[in-house]
Amino acid sequence: MTEAHAGDAPVRKDRTKAAPTRTRAEAEHPIEETPNFFRRIWLFLTQIVSELKKVTYPTSKETWTYFVVVIVFVAVIMAYTGLLDFAFGKLNALVFG
């Protein structure tokens, strides 16, 4: 089944290795020159600006809605915590006198 004939199923390629895999020390490492300090800072700043251009900021109505939701949520959690504190304080006074 080493030869492919017309009409036969395609023959699978032999994928066994001819030699062992190279070690890291033997592998070729391309030497990459890093840009100088100021070039890297400039690249960083330009990438920041390009990413900030992609940001979608909420409208004033959305911001107000988020603000109200946060304030209501914090008020509910404060009330819940206050009630628990009051109940445990009364329970403590009842048990320890």
Side-chain angles (χ1 to χ4, degrees):
M1 194 167 185
T2 57
E3 298 178 12
H5 297 291
D8 288 347
V11 178
R12 294 179 65 168
K13 181 180 177 184
D14 183 18
R15 297 179 61 127
T16 57
K17 293 182 181 180
T21 305
R22 296 178 296 184
T23 63
R24 286 188 186 267
E26 295 171 345
E28 297 175 12
H29 298 290
I31 299 173
E32 295 181 13
E33 221 176 282
T34 58
N36 67 15
F37 180 72
F38 296 108
R39 178 85 174 136
R40 286 183 289 172
I41 290 176
W42 182 253
L43 176 66
F44 178 69
L45 292 175
T46 55
Q47 288 174 345
I48 288 174
V49 170
S50 68
E51 288 297 321
L52 284 175
K53 288 179 180 178
K54 298 177 188 177
V55 173
T56 304
Y57 295 99
T59 63
S60 61
K61 184 179 178 183
E62 290 172 332
T63 304
W64 181 252
T65 302
Y66 297 152
F67 172 76
V68 169
V69 167
V70 168
I71 295 300
V72 168
F73 180 76
V74 168
V76 168
I77 294 300
M78 284 174 52
Y80 176 72
T81 306
L83 286 174
L84 282 178
D85 182 48
F86 180 76
F88 283 123
K90 287 294 184 182
L91 182 66
N92 189 18
L94 189 80
V95 171
F96 297 109

